[in-house]
Structure formats: structure tokens, C-alpha cells
Amino acid sequence: MVTSFPWLTVLWVVPMVGAAIVILLPASLRAASKWLALVVSVVVLAITVLLAVNFDPAGDQYQFVESHKWIPSFGTGYILGLDGIALAIVALTAVLVPLLLIAGWNDVSDQAAWGGRSTHAYFALTLAVEGMVIMSLVSLDILLFYVFFEAMLIPMYFLIGGFGGAGRSKAAVKFLLYNLFGGLVMLAAVIGLYVVTAGSDAFEAGTFDFRLIVEAVSSGEFVVNPAVMNLLFLGFMFAFAVKAPLWPFHRWLPDAAVEATPASAVLMMAIMDKVGTFGMLRYCLQLFPDSATYFRPMIITLAVIGIVYGAIVAIGQTDVMRLIAYTSISHFGFIILGIFVMTSQGQSGSTLYMVNHGLSTAALFLIAGFLVSRRGSRLIESYGGVQKVAPVLAGTFLVSGLATLSLPGLAPFISEFLVLVGTFTRYPVFAVFASTALVLSAVYILWMYQRMMTGPVKDGNDKIRDLVPREILVVAPLIALLIVLGVYPKPALDVINPAVTHTLTTIDQPDPVPQFAEGPTR
């Protein structure tokens, strides 16, 4: 629906303005900068709740639409809209950011490099990432999407490189170079798409309007040489594959996740990287349906390799934070697999998986971060017997770990099950290979828990304190959401399913008809 009030503009502008105000506060107002950032993030959450309540799953595909001229001579406009898939990820973002701010409340000490304003910078950069992610999710103009898709790298680079571990500078540069290279390839594809629209009879002039291009592609009015469309598809797909990340473009993720503060690592893995998988679902499939179908076997193969690779490498890790980072590579493989099998179960499962992965990874990574901050070591062998001295920490760590391995009754199980069912209906062999991750994930999670939390208390662990109220305030909502969405995912799926159906209809990919072997009749 079209509304007179620009809710989507307010949604992304609030955190951006909040970031600017936070960074401009006097250096002496460190506590005020924290509280202001938290209040801003809660306001964003409140607006998101308002949008979710007023969103009609049975209504128009894109709701709360805003459309204004930006650069008419270049075929681009300020066009925003929200569908069910974007709403799910916006909601994830709005829920996690306040929790991440609370989790990182005491993570930052003033450093000379920031002129005594480290706290201001850290909280302002987090809000900036939130605003840019939201903008990229609600944009319906391809150039506008690209601008924010690239811009979010800058605050994330400073969050990694300005704070965190001893190797943060190297990890930040690696993160930036990988993603900037992917973005440059995508820029060439964005320009190429504009050129082919300008040369087509389907449009009066070149355009970046996503809805117009998709409508022309779906109706058959926009016909381009398949080789050209394949190249454009690969340009978009490469950038999204780096951002997601898809194996073998994942090499930047483990270092960035380990060297960043736990809250910044979760911001990157659970929120920012979802823009990559979202881009695949929205742009790669709907702009280039024939190319997506042509490259589907290759992408599915890479996704399955990523699923198995991430799980196997996680088993061999001695660093608890690096182990959790590699589990995300495996989970992103599941998300990408579900997207490209192009079935309703697969894509609904993938979208729900984006949300559930964000919740489970946030819980597991943050709790691990709380533990590491107490002990001062990321090595798994440094721990043992933690459940005897910190039972609440160990218990919430176990629930989060069980969610990560997709235990029935917890949220990721539903999404992973849907992805595997959707895959099996079209590619049963790939589904079988992907299913091996169910066993492998049990190995790396339960073995990690056994070594760290059970057994006798090792030297140095006897003074580990349990979760404090501030940390419980972070963890409790995540555990609650993992349980609620595991038992009753219907509200989320009711929003997601119509958008998935529209995507599959647009790309003309009906679900496969089940084949039943004929048996003897009586």
C-alpha cells in the first residue's frame, strides 16, 4: 500500500541521525552516548513493530511505498517499499541491534587513536550499520541499493579495525578488500543493466527501477542476449557471494569475526551478511531468472560444499570464536541452497533461516564472548568444568548450541527442515549430501560443550563468575525467541510465504510435482 507518511524513510534515517548526534556529543559524555544510542535503537524497534502490525501479508507485494524523483536523467529514483522477505530481515535487525549495544556496553575503552571518543565512535558506527542495512533492504531502486550495499562496508571496517583483538587491522583490511572487489564487479553489472534497459524497446529510457525491470522481464517484453544477461547475473551474484559468504569466497569471515568485538562480529554475521543472501533472492532471481536457472546447478554445488566444509573445519578448530565463525559458513550454505533450488519450501525455509541463524549465532557468539572476557583466552582447551562455577552461562550456552545444530523444538530446526524438504523435491542427491551436516553439527557443538563446560574445573576457571543482569538481559530475549519460533513459526511464515510465492511466480518456477512409483494393484 501507499502511505502519506514516509515510514520507511524514518526507519532508516533515525539510526543515521542518531549516529551523527552520538559522534558529536562532547567526549566527556561517554555514558550519555551509550544511552542515546540505545534509545535510538529502541525507537527503530518500535517503528519496526508498527510496520509489522500494519503489514498485510495478503495485500500488495510492496507496502509502505515511497517514490520520488532523484536523478531523472539517469533513470534512478528514491523508491522504497517493504515486502514480507525484507520485513523479516528488518525485524531481525531491529531486534538484535539494541541487544548488541547492551552486550558491548563495556567492551570499548578510550583509545588515543579516537581522541578519547572511542565509546562515541563505537556506538555511532553500530547505528550507522543498522541504518544502511535497513536502507538496502527497503530500496526498490537498484542504484540506491548499490550505494548503501557498498557504504555499509565503511562503518563495519572501522568497527573491526578500530576495536577488538590484536590482529584487527589485518582482518579489517582483508574484510574491506574482499567486499570492495565484489562491489566493483557488481558496479560494472549495475551499469551494464542500465545500458541494456536504455537500449530496449520495453522502456522509454534507461532505468534502475527494480519493479519496472522485473515486470518487463516477467512479461517477456525485456529480451536481451542470454550471454549478456549471464554476465550481468554473475556480476551481481559474485558480490552477493562474497558478502554472504558462499564457499570459496569466505576467507575473510573467520578472521573478521574473531578479531572484532563479539557484538561487532554478530552485527556483521547475523545482520550485514544477510544483505548478500537477500540480494540473491531479490535481485539475482527476479532480474535474471533464466541466468539463475542456468547457473543453478553450479551454485547449489558450491552451497553444499560450503555446508559440509564449514562443518568439518569447525570440528577441527581449537579457538571457540573461530569455531562458531565456521559454523556460519555452513549455515549460509543452507540459506543459499534453499534460495537456488527454487521451491516454495526451500525459499521460505531460507528466509526463515536468515532470521533464525541471526538469533542462534547472536546467542552463541555473545555468550562465548562473555566467557572469553572472563577467562582471557579463546582456546577451547583452556576451559573445563565451567557449568559448575557458572551454571546459567553454561545452560544458555548449551541451549544456543543446540539451536545451532538445529535441535527439534528450537527455531533453526524448522528452517533447516524446510530447506532440506525443498531441496529433496528437486535435487534429492544434493539434499542427502547437505543432510550430513546434521551429524557434523552435532559433533562440533556437543564436543565443544563437553570440553568447555563439563568435567572437573580446570585451573584458572574456578573464579569465572556467572552471567550478570546486563548479560542476562541480552541473552534471555534471544533464548525466548529461539524457543517461540521453534514451537510456533506460523506468524513469521505467514509473512514470508506470500512474498516467496510472488518470487517463484515472477521467475516462472512452480514447485515440482511429486512422482509416485506405481505399485501392484489389487
Side-chain angles (χ1 to χ4, degrees):
M1 60 182 170
V2 180
T3 61
S4 57
F5 190 81
W7 283 112
L8 298 183
T9 295
V10 173
L11 184 65
W12 77 268
V13 166
V14 165
M16 297 299 291
V17 172
I21 296 174
V22 167
I23 200 66
L24 292 174
L25 287 176
S28 59
L29 298 179
R30 298 182 185 90
S33 67
K34 295 179 182 181
W35 284 105
L36 177 58
L38 181 59
V39 168
V40 169
S41 67
V42 172
V43 170
V44 173
L45 176 59
I47 296 172
T48 302
V49 171
L50 179 65
L51 292 174
V53 169
N54 288 278
F55 185 86
D56 181 9
D60 296 337
Q61 172 67 9
Y62 299 106
Q63 301 180 29
F64 311 103
V65 174
E66 302 173 33
S67 183
H68 306 283
K69 293 181 179 180
W70 181 22
I71 313 175
S73 60
F74 203 46
T76 186
Y78 179 80
I79 309 172
L80 308 181
L82 193 68
D83 68 351
I85 295 171
L87 176 59
I89 309 175
V90 167
L92 171 69
T93 303
V95 167
L96 285 185
V97 169
L99 300 179
L100 297 182
L101 292 175
I102 298 171
W105 200 257
N106 299 322
D107 283 355
V108 181
S109 58
D110 287 312
Q111 303 167 26
W114 293 95
R117 304 175 65 85
S118 294
T119 301
H120 299 66
Y122 182 80
F123 282 80
L125 290 169
T126 301
L127 289 178
V129 172
E130 179 183 30
M132 292 177 183
V133 167
I134 290 174
M135 180 57 173
S136 67
L137 295 172
V138 301
S139 173
L140 293 178
D141 182 271
I142 297 168
L143 183 60
L144 191 63
F145 166 82
Y146 173 78
V147 169
F148 283 87
F149 178 81
E150 286 292 272
M152 69 180 69
L153 299 177
I154 304 304
M156 197 71 239
Y157 166 79
F158 284 111
L159 280 172
I160 299 170
F163 311 93
R168 60 183 183 268
S169 296
K170 181 180 178 181
V173 170
K174 193 173 183 179
F175 157 82
L176 189 63
L177 290 179
Y178 266 78
N179 284 275
L180 276 181
F181 181 68
L184 288 174
V185 174
M186 181 178 169
L187 176 60
V190 169
I191 295 172
L193 182 62
Y194 175 81
V195 171
V196 295
T197 58
S200 172
D201 294 336
F203 308 99
E204 296 180 0
T207 183
F208 287 109
D209 190 324
F210 172 77
R211 295 172 302 172
L212 289 180
I213 299 174
V214 169
E215 183 180 355
V217 170
S218 179
S219 65
E221 297 177 18
F222 183 39
V223 180
V224 182
N225 186 309
V228 173
M229 294 301 275
N230 287 346
L231 288 174
L232 296 178
F233 168 84
L234 290 174
F236 277 79
M237 183 64 198
F238 180 76
F240 297 145
V242 172
K243 178 87 79 176
L246 172 66
W247 184 93
F249 310 109
H250 67 283
R251 297 296 298 276
W252 62 269
L253 178 64
D255 290 340
V258 168
E259 296 300 338
T261 66
S264 294
V266 172
L267 181 68
M268 178 185 67
M269 292 189 296
I271 296 176
M272 193 191 76
D273 289 351
K274 296 304 190 317
V275 179
T277 47
F278 171 80
M280 295 177 193
L281 191 53
R282 171 169 287 183
Y283 296 98
C284 287
L285 264 59
Q286 297 188 60
L287 291 175
F288 316 103
D290 293 338
S291 299
T293 304
Y294 178 78
F295 288 107
R296 176 168 59 183
M298 179 188 73
I299 296 170
I300 289 176
T301 300
L302 294 179
V304 172
I305 292 174
I307 291 170
V308 178
Y309 167 85
I312 291 176
V313 175
I315 292 173
Q317 296 304 306
T318 58
D319 182 322
V320 59
M321 309 303 274
R322 190 172 290 270
L323 186 155
I324 299 171
Y326 273 105
T327 67
S328 283
I329 295 172
S330 182
H331 295 150
F332 273 108
F334 271 110
I335 294 171
I336 296 168
L337 175 65
I339 290 171
F340 279 91
V341 294
M342 300 182 192
T343 61
S344 57
Q345 300 98 328
Q347 292 194 355
S348 293
S350 286
T351 305
L352 187 61
Y353 211 139
M354 294 184 211
V355 176
N356 293 338
H357 167 264
L359 298 174
S360 61
T361 296
L364 189 62
F365 209 89
L366 291 176
I367 296 170
F370 295 150
L371 180 60
V372 169
S373 68
R374 287 158 165 73
R375 183 67 170 82
S377 173
R378 299 197 308 255
L379 296 178
I380 294 174
E381 64 181 12
S382 299
Y383 298 91
V386 174
Q387 66 181 13
K388 295 180 180 179
V389 296
V392 176
L393 187 154
T396 53
F397 188 83
L398 177 60
V399 174
S400 304
L402 294 176
T404 300
L405 65 80
S406 299
L407 184 77
L410 296 174
F413 169 76
I414 301 296
S415 44
E416 195 163 296
F417 179 77
L418 286 172
V419 168
L420 289 173
V421 168
T423 303
F424 190 83
T425 59
R426 182 160 276 158
Y427 295 104
V429 174
F430 282 115
V432 170
F433 278 107
S435 298
T436 60
L438 301 177
V439 177
L440 296 174
S441 62
V443 173
Y444 62 67
I445 289 295
L446 297 178
W447 192 30
M448 175 179 65
Y449 183 84
Q450 179 188 35
R451 287 180 289 170
M452 296 180 67
M453 303 296 172
T454 65
V457 180
K458 284 191 175 182
D459 292 341
N461 292 338
D462 53 321
K463 296 183 179 179
I464 293 177
R465 69 184 190 281
D466 213 339
L467 295 181
V468 299
R470 174 180 62 84
E471 295 165 337
I472 293 175
L473 181 62
V474 173
V475 175
L478 296 173
I479 299 295
L481 286 171
L482 287 172
I483 294 173
V484 170
L485 288 176
V487 175
Y488 190 61
K490 185 177 182 296
L493 289 173
D494 284 347
V495 171
I496 293 168
N497 286 340
V500 167
T501 300
H502 180 272
T503 299
L504 292 173
T505 302
T506 299
I507 65 176
D508 193 23
Q509 287 287 334
D511 284 334
V513 178
Q515 301 293 323
F516 298 97
E518 294 186 3
T521 57
R522 295 184 180 179

